[in-house]
């Protein structure tokens, strides 16, 4: 990610030799790629749904218990969503939060 004030979006997979990172369309990341270290291959596993959606903050978080990816994104910096996605890129759930009257800028997710 190009913004110095946010944590990195580079995340390691649970139980396999894979790194996840956001791919950039213009200035902002709008898709998630997986780099398989053993096979030396890169593949796009998930693209954000909205035409204006972009990963926000570190954007990508791996749940250490399940291995699922939690992708934080926004279309407008006023509303935010978290897409919960399997390591293969299948969306499991979408959590919508924030609106025009709420200032909530999530940078990272902490798992317990």
């Amino acid at each position: 990610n190009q913004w110095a004030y946010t944590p990195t979006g580079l995340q390691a997979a649970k139980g396999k030799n894979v790194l996840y990172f956001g791919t950039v369309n213009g200035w902002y990341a709008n898709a998630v790629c997986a780099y398989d270290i053993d096979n030396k291959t890169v593949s796009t596993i998930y693209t954000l749904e909205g035409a204006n959606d972009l990963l926000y903050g570190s954007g990508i978080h791996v749940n250490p218990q399940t291995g699922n990816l939690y992708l934080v994104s926004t279309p407008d910096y006023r509303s935010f969503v978290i897409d919960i996605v399997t390591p293969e890129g299948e969306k499991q759930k979408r959590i919508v939060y924030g609106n025009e009257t709420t200032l909530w800028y999530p940078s990272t997710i902490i798992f317990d």
Side-chain angles (χ1 to χ4, degrees):
N1 130 8
Q2 72 275 22
W3 309 115
Y5 57 86
T6 61
T8 182
L10 184 64
Q11 297 287 310
K14 177 188 177 194
K16 51 186 174 178
N17 219 7
V18 171
L19 295 173
Y20 301 109
F21 59 93
T23 58
V24 176
N25 177 12
W27 284 97
Y28 303 104
N30 67 345
V32 177
C33 284
Y35 174 63
D36 184 320
I37 296 167
D38 297 330
N39 296 318
K40 296 179 177 49
T41 58
V42 176
S43 59
T44 300
I45 62 163
Y46 189 77
T47 301
L48 298 176
E49 292 179 9
N52 296 321
D53 287 355
L54 55 104
L55 292 172
Y56 183 82
S58 58
I60 304 168
H61 312 276
V62 176
N63 183 322
Q65 287 84 30
T66 66
N68 285 341
L69 284 71
Y70 284 58
L71 309 175
V72 179
S73 65
T74 180
D76 57 14
Y77 295 100
R78 293 181 303 232
S79 58
F80 294 87
V81 298
I82 299 173
D83 287 325
I84 302 172
V85 177
T86 66
E88 296 76 32
E90 180 184 332
K91 185 167 78 169
Q92 301 292 301
K93 183 177 183 178
R94 173 169 267 210
I95 301 167
V96 178
Y97 63 99
N99 58 43
E100 292 182 17
T101 61
T102 305
L103 292 178
W104 181 251
Y105 297 103
S107 181
T108 193
I109 295 175
I110 305 297
F111 297 95
D112 181 16

